[in-house]
Structure formats: C-alpha cells, structure tokens
Amino acid sequence: MAPAMGMKRPAAAAAATATQTVTLPAPDARAAEIMSFIRSYVVPEGFPDSVTPSYVPYMTWRALKHFFGGAMGVFTTRTLLNSVGVAQSRATSGAVAINWILKDGAGRVGKMLFARQGKKFDYDLKQLRFSGDLLMELGAGIELATAAFPQLFLPMACIANVVKNVAAVTSTSTRTPIYKAYAKGENIGDVTAKGESVGNIADLLGTGLSILISKRNPSLVTSFAFLSCGYLLSSYHEVRSVVLNTLNTARFTVAVDSFIKSGHVPSLKEGNSQETIFNPPWRHQPVAIGSRFGEAFQEPASFVAIRPLFEDERYIVTYNPTKDKVYALLKDQAKPDDILKAAFHAHVLLHFINASHANLNARKRMNSNRSYQNANPLNMDFIPHIAESCKIVTSSYGVFKKKAREQGWIMSESLLNPGRARLCGIVPQ
C-alpha cells in the first residue's frame, strides 16, 4: 500500500500546479490597471492631492475647448486647401507652395511683433487669454470666408494667420502661470505635461469626429456657428475657473469695492469668480495708476490745492472732472506697497465721487429748482472729497491689507500695471 500512496502525491501536486497557471486576475484588478494607465497620461502624479481643487473644472473646460478647436481645424484646413486651388487644380504646385509659405510667414511676423507686449501677459492673464481665444475664432472665420472669395486667398489667409498666431502667443505666454497656480510643490512640469496631454487627446477626438462629419458636406456657416459657440463658451468657463492669489486690476477692484461697501474682503474663489474677464478697448476705465501730470490735472491750481494732503505719501490722488476719471500719480520713491496704497486710495476717492454724482442726480429729480436742473456733476468741488478720502485711507488701508492676507491674497507684490510716469522732486516729509 505504501508505493500506491507515494504515486498519488505527485499527481496531486501536478494538479495544484495546473490550477495555479490558469488562474486569471480579478476583473477589479484589471480595471484598476487600465485606470492607472489612463491616469498616467491625463492627471499629475499624486492626484488629487498634488493639485489645487479648481484643477478639475479647469481641465474639463480646457478639454472641451480643444475638442471644438480640433473640430474647427478640419473645416478651416479643408476650406484653405480648396481656396488655394489644390482640390480644383486651379493653380500650379509652385504657386500653391508660394502662397502657403507667404501665409505662414505673415503669421510668424505677427507672432514676433505681438511678443513685445510681454509683461501684460502677467498683469491681465485671464483677460488676454480669453481675448486670444476670441482672436482665434476671428482667424478661423476669415479662413472659412476664403471659400466665398478664393481670388483673395493670399491677403485673407495672411490676415487670418497673423490673427491666429497672435492668439497662439497669448495662449503660450499665459499657459505656465495658470499651471503654476494649480501645482502644489515642485510639480509644475508634471502638471504642464498632463495638461497638454489632455488638450492633445481632446484635439484628436474633435478632429476625428469632424472628419466623419465633413464627409457629409455640412453647411460651413452652420458648422462654424456651432463649433465657434462651443469653443468660446468653453474658453470663457476655462478662464473663469482659474483661481489666482495675485491682485491685478480686475481682482483688486473686486476686493476694494467689497471692502468699502461691507468691510469684507472676498476669498480667493469669490474674488476670482467676480473678476471681469472681457474688457473691450472702448470701455471707460474710471481709475488710472501711474499717470502723467497733464492727464490728471486741468490746471496747476488743483495740484497746489491738494499737494499738502499727500506730503507724507509717495503718491498723489486726484480727480479730473472733464474726463470723469480718478488718477493716482506716483512719486519717484514709490515702492510696491505705495503703488498698492495709491490704487486703494484711488478706489476710495472714486467711491466718494460716485456717491456725490448719485446724490446730485437724485436732488435734480426731486427738486425742480433751476440751479439743480442746470447743475453738472462734472463741475462739483472735489477737493473736500479728496481730503475725506485721505482720512479714510489712513485708518482703513492697514485693515484692508490684513484682511486680504487672511483670505490668502498676496500683498507683497501686485500686478496693477502702473504707468511709467513718476513725479520727480517731490519728497515725502
């Protein structure tokens, strides 16, 4: 019986070995491996702890924007090729090549010239980013218009390429500061790489879908309207979702207005969400920082009257009624904190000016007296308002800075984009 028992043991071991070799991984484990592979391409290592909370909405809208942009690219490229004569064989290959080279060359020149704007990409990052996307759609619209005017292909394509390259400079220049705002620690490279990967994936998906749709020859006007609306809507929400802790002109205005009206400084999320994203060039700007003397004062008498109020400051704030604008003039010893204080003072004065305008208009409506009806808010005496604003700023500027720091705003430096003009020879006592 002993030999028989010995023969059964190897057979059992072989069966156990066979069982081990055919064991399959659990479905949950395989799904985890697939998700890990996908995450390695689309999210930074250590996500979500390695990025700020607003990273997900930003990347979601960014992916949608690139999806619509990739889809738009199919239609614009097809239209350009048809217009230049490739599809209809209306031009020789040499002429086609020359036209294409000139088009691209014009775009590079536009990119180079716009690069001189440099520092403005830091001051108004969101505003320029959204304006760049508006320019991108304008360029796409011009490219599609070449289908209606193929004989004007070269000038129209050159203009479109200049516009789109200016938009590309804006996108490239504002990309790193935005990614930097989302990175926690020293992972800016990882955040940038994954962000660009998401954009490329979405672009490829949009391109593929657009190729399938374009085979049915849809209306160019309808396609452009739909894709352009999707692109701009995604761009707006993409920019809106960015949360920055620096104070540029738009965010500073939100913070100071809130403080003046309620004594509350908005949080980073609140301040960024209330920031004005699109400022058309023709919009009246009520405050100017770092202005020239001739812009701020109508006559020297106004300067002489208010100068004693600012003997201890490195700036002077005034109001020009003919331009309905508050000006902050900086002395040549002004430091970053002086610029911030001057901007704060300018907004306090603007609050007094606006309140006076509102009161005067109310009295004009309620009183039929001729003197009120003929009164012009621009002719009011603004010197007392400047004196009153000086008292308010002296007592409240320090409180504003403290509350802003508590909310997470960086107060050591600002991005208020002050002008270069400085008052020389006026030394604070």
Side-chain angles (χ1 to χ4, degrees):
M1 294 298 294
M5 293 295 294
M7 291 178 63
K8 287 182 180 180
R9 287 195 186 104
T17 302
T19 303
Q20 291 178 358
T21 57
V22 297
T23 300
L24 297 176
D28 292 343
R30 179 169 293 180
E33 290 180 4
I34 295 174
M35 289 302 300
S36 177
F37 177 78
I38 295 174
R39 286 165 62 93
S40 67
Y41 280 94
V42 297
V43 295
E45 186 176 343
F47 176 85
D49 298 328
S50 60
V51 292
T52 59
S54 55
Y55 176 81
V56 172
Y58 171 77
M59 291 308 304
T60 301
W61 289 111
R62 177 174 172 78
L64 276 174
K65 185 183 80 171
H66 278 267
F67 175 84
F68 286 110
M72 179 72 74
V74 173
F75 289 98
T76 56
T77 302
R78 181 181 177 183
T79 301
L80 287 173
L81 291 174
N82 289 338
S83 300
V84 79
V86 170
Q88 288 83 10
S89 299
R90 293 183 294 183
T92 64
S93 58
V96 170
I98 291 174
N99 283 349
W100 207 267
I101 291 171
L102 290 174
K103 172 185 76 71
D104 290 345
R108 292 188 180 95
V109 171
K111 181 186 293 187
M112 178 185 65
L113 294 176
F114 193 69
R116 69 184 295 273
Q117 299 298 321
K119 193 64 178 175
K120 291 184 180 180
F121 295 124
D122 298 312
Y123 293 140
D124 299 313
L125 184 152
K126 297 184 189 179
Q127 291 74 12
L128 285 174
R129 181 64 170 264
F130 184 65
S131 297
D133 287 334
L134 287 174
L135 287 177
M136 185 67 74
E137 290 309 289
L138 175 61
I142 297 174
E143 288 179 339
L144 291 176
T146 59
F149 307 98
Q151 68 277 12
L152 299 177
F153 167 81
L154 186 57
M156 293 181 68
C158 287
I159 293 173
N161 221 32
V162 169
V163 170
K164 294 182 75 171
N165 274 275
V166 168
V169 170
T170 304
S171 177
T172 303
S173 302
T174 57
R175 181 188 306 156
T176 300
I178 290 177
Y179 284 139
K180 185 178 179 181
Y182 290 118
K184 284 186 176 180
E186 299 299 324
N187 63 334
I188 178 63
D190 189 22
V191 172
T192 302
K194 300 307 166 51
E196 295 306 294
S197 176
V198 169
N200 290 331
I201 293 172
D203 191 283
L204 289 172
L205 291 174
T207 300
L209 179 62
S210 187
I211 290 174
L212 295 176
I213 296 175
S214 65
K215 291 181 178 180
R216 300 185 179 183
N217 294 319
S219 169
L220 280 180
V221 175
T222 304
S223 300
F224 173 75
F226 174 75
L227 295 175
S228 182
C229 288
Y231 183 90
L232 292 178
L233 181 64
S234 302
S235 172
Y236 179 81
H237 285 287
E238 174 199 24
V239 174
R240 177 66 72 186
S241 64
V242 177
V243 177
L244 302 174
N245 57 1
T246 52
L247 288 168
N248 68 343
T249 301
R251 293 187 290 277
F252 185 80
T253 300
V254 171
V256 176
D257 286 351
S258 174
F259 178 76
I260 292 174
K261 294 175 181 177
S262 65
H264 166 74
V265 175
S267 64
L268 295 180
K269 187 175 182 179
E270 291 172 342
N272 280 267
S273 65
Q274 298 173 32
E275 177 182 2
T276 302
I277 298 299
F278 179 62
N279 283 320
W282 57 86
R283 183 177 180 179
H284 175 66
Q285 301 295 333
V287 173
I289 311 296
S291 309
R292 296 182 180 276
F293 186 91
E295 297 173 335
F297 293 99
Q298 288 181 273
E299 67 281 328
S302 300
F303 171 70
V304 173
I306 68 171
R307 178 178 176 178
L309 299 173
F310 297 93
E311 287 184 349
D312 297 330
E313 303 292 350
R314 292 189 173 92
Y315 66 88
I316 294 176
V317 172
T318 187
Y319 172 70
N320 190 330
T322 59
K323 299 180 180 179
D324 192 23
K325 198 168 188 176
V326 175
Y327 291 90
L329 293 82
L330 302 173
K331 300 177 183 180
D332 56 357
Q333 308 90 0
K335 301 295 190 296
D337 185 67
D338 299 309
I339 296 173
L340 197 66
K341 187 175 182 180
F344 178 81
H345 197 147
H347 281 83
V348 171
L349 177 58
L350 179 65
H351 175 74
F352 280 112
I353 299 295
N354 290 338
S356 295
H357 287 179
N359 291 335
L360 186 57
N361 290 331
R363 281 185 286 175
K364 284 172 63 178
R365 288 191 298 267
M366 296 177 61
N367 197 315
S368 59
N369 189 301
R370 197 174 192 79
S371 62
Y372 281 122
Q373 287 184 345
N374 295 334
N376 186 350
L378 300 182
N379 295 327
M380 67 181 185
D381 184 9
F382 57 87
I383 303 298
H385 294 305
I386 297 178
E388 185 68 22
S389 69
C390 290
K391 297 177 183 178
I392 298 297
V393 170
T394 300
S395 61
S396 61
Y397 176 64
V399 178
F400 168 75
K401 286 182 61 178
K402 179 182 178 182
K403 289 188 175 182
R405 286 196 184 98
E406 291 174 351
Q407 293 290 1
W409 295 104
I410 295 178
M411 303 301 292
S412 57
E413 293 185 6
S414 63
L415 299 174
L416 298 179
N417 190 17
R420 297 182 180 181
R422 298 293 183 269
L423 294 175
C424 300
I426 304 178
V427 182
Q429 300 298 322

